Amino acid sequence: MDFFEVITNRHSMRAYKPDPIEPEKLQQILDAINRAPSAGNLQAYEVYVVRQAGQRMALAQASWGQDFIAQAPLALVFCTHPALTVGRYAQRGVNLYSPQDATIACTFAMLAATALELSTVWVGAFEDDAVWKVIGSPEGQTPVAILPIGYASKPPRLTPRRKLDELVHEM
Ligand SMILES: Cc1cc2nc3c(=O)[nH]c(=O)nc-3n(C[C@H](O)[C@H](O)[C@H](O)COP(=O)(O)O)c2cc1C
């Protein structure tokens, strides 16, 4: 798949086969994450790899019953790590750069997964404390996205977009 096919083929998937993800594919996804840009190259985020069924179930519960999280064989949880940026960028690092670093990393993971014929869905609706309990991340690291990854068990639902001339503004 060339890059633009990856962009076109990425769709949110909310139904997964139980088939595991090949370790080489997971490694490629993690390597892609680590190539993501970040403010000052500080990489002010952390990634938690959740494989265990009970923990995936707990993530689904933490996400108001989004059960497809438990269906996928694996989920990545992206958290901010503001302590890595506060020294250089103060509050702008904490409030803006760290969440941006984490979300760009998650975007790289989504696109890498798509290129590897895997499916994902970005999950942002969850209770922070309940996610914290599952991953046991240190105080100060806020979860910003859960990304279940796996093989789709049904075709994706295609979604519309705003017209380009509505969202792009020539100045
Ligand atoms: C910040 C963010 C939060 C999201 N949270 C959820 C979520 O909690 N549950 C879910 O099913 N989809 C969630 N989505 C996926 C969107 O619903 C989806 O990207 C959008 O409908 C467009 O569809 P597409 O990804 O198939 O293009 C989220 C996406 C983003 C970017």
Side-chain angles (χ1 to χ4, degrees), residues 1-3 5-7 9-10 25 28-29 108-119:
M1 254 190 265
D2 86 2
F3 179 73
E5 285 175 319
V6 171
I7 297 282
N9 286 336
R10 187 214 56 80
K25 288 195 176 184
Q28 281 180 280
I29 293 168
F108 270 47
M110 290 183 105
L111 295 176
T114 305
L116 295 166
E117 314 280 351
L118 289 160
S119 294

Side-chain angles (χ1 to χ4, degrees), residues 59-135:
L59 284 182
Q61 282 161 4
S63 309
W64 320 111
Q66 301 194 64
D67 291 337
F68 51 80
I69 299 174
Q71 247 180 36
L74 185 142
L76 301 180
V77 181
F78 293 80
C79 291
T80 61
H81 191 161
L84 293 180
T85 183
V86 67
R88 194 183 306 176
Y89 295 121
Q91 282 314 296
R92 192 165 180 82
V94 171
N95 297 330
L96 184 65
Y97 296 160
S98 184
Q100 285 181 332
D101 289 355
T103 52
I104 296 165
C106 186
T107 304
F108 270 47
M110 290 183 105
L111 295 176
T114 305
L116 295 166
E117 314 280 351
L118 289 160
S119 294
T120 63
V121 57
W122 187 302
V123 175
F126 50 74
E127 204 184 333
D128 291 1
D129 283 347
V131 173
W132 258 319
K133 276 198 192 112
V134 179
I135 59 177

Side-chain angles (χ1 to χ4, degrees), residues 29-83:
I29 293 168
L30 298 177
D31 288 337
I33 290 170
N34 207 21
R35 296 307 311 164
S38 61
N41 200 26
L42 294 174
Q43 297 185 276
Y45 64 92
E46 302 294 328
V47 184
Y48 294 86
V49 182
V50 180
R51 303 166 192 267
Q52 207 237 325
Q55 290 182 320
R56 288 186 280 115
M57 190 75 78
L59 284 182
Q61 282 161 4
S63 309
W64 320 111
Q66 301 194 64
D67 291 337
F68 51 80
I69 299 174
Q71 247 180 36
L74 185 142
L76 301 180
V77 181
F78 293 80
C79 291
T80 61
H81 191 161

